Amino acid sequence: LTKYEHLKTNNLTETRMSLWNDRLAAIKQKPLSGWGYGVNYRDFDMNVKKDWNYIKGETEKGNTILSIIEEFGGISGLIIILTISYLIFYVYRNIIYFLKNEYYLVSLSTIIAALVHVNFESWLLYFGNVNSFIFWLLLISILNLKRNDNVVKK
């Protein structure tokens, strides 16, 4: 039994919309401060008393961007999203350079697939998750290899 079986549907769209609506409701309640890292707003209604600070290591939220804003609040969430966006933009800006090397190509393909996937899951900042570990390891290694190549060329 899942905690979202109350939806009584296997339809992916309805399940995602329900998760996204939960995120939006949580953001409306605490737009600036957020609920805290790893807290699932839906758990407050389903598993414990209201206003109980119930923290779960990994929860299904349906979208990473909404999850970040829900957990960290609007201001902090925006800073985190902009930082991640900058790193991704840096990789995108150097895409021609990265496509010349097979290692970069495999890593870049994995990162692109992961960025598509995080629109439907919320694992990007849950560091106990294998997907998160692989994404950040590849992103950091690509950025580091690019930096090392620049040092060697000088």
Side-chain angles (χ1 to χ4, degrees):
L1 301 177
T2 68
K3 68 169 120 184
Y4 298 106
E5 73 176 3
H6 68 281
L7 297 175
K8 299 192 185 336
T9 183
N10 289 328
N11 185 324
L12 178 64
T13 307
E14 288 180 38
T15 305
R16 292 292 156 202
M17 290 306 294
S18 174
L19 292 170
W20 295 344
N21 287 334
D22 287 344
R23 304 294 67 81
L24 294 172
I27 291 167
K28 282 182 186 177
Q29 287 185 18
K30 295 186 178 187
L32 295 178
S33 64
W35 285 82
Y37 178 70
V39 175
N40 190 344
Y41 162 77
R42 190 77 170 141
D43 289 337
F44 283 86
D45 291 334
M46 297 180 71
N47 298 331
V48 296
K49 293 187 250 178
K50 284 193 182 277
D51 297 325
W52 178 274
N53 190 12
Y54 178 73
I55 297 178
K56 196 168 187 176
E58 183 177 357
T59 56
E60 177 60 48
K61 295 190 175 194
N63 182 290
T64 294
I65 293 172
L66 291 176
S67 174
I68 290 171
I69 295 171
E70 174 192 10
E71 293 178 4
F72 297 101
I75 296 169
S76 299
L78 186 61
I79 291 169
I80 292 168
I81 291 167
L82 289 175
T83 302
I84 294 168
S85 298
Y86 174 77
L87 293 173
I88 292 165
F89 178 74
Y90 177 82
V91 171
Y92 174 74
R93 194 177 69 201
N94 293 288
I95 199 162
I96 300 300
Y97 174 81
F98 293 133
L99 291 176
K100 292 178 183 177
N101 184 313
E102 289 177 14
Y103 174 77
Y104 289 135
L105 185 59
V106 171
S107 298
L108 193 61
S109 300
T110 305
I111 288 171
I112 290 169
L115 290 173
V116 170
H117 189 250
V118 297
N119 287 297
F120 304 99
E121 299 290 339
S122 57
W123 52 260
L124 190 62
L125 293 181
Y126 291 110
F127 296 104
N129 186 304
V130 173
N131 294 337
S132 179
F133 177 76
I134 292 170
F135 173 83
W136 288 107
L137 182 68
L138 289 175
L139 185 62
I140 290 167
S141 66
I142 276 183
L143 297 174
N144 191 43
L145 286 172
K146 170 76 164 99
R147 187 178 65 86
N148 288 344
D149 285 351
N150 287 340
V151 170
V152 171
K153 287 180 182 177
K154 290 181 181 181

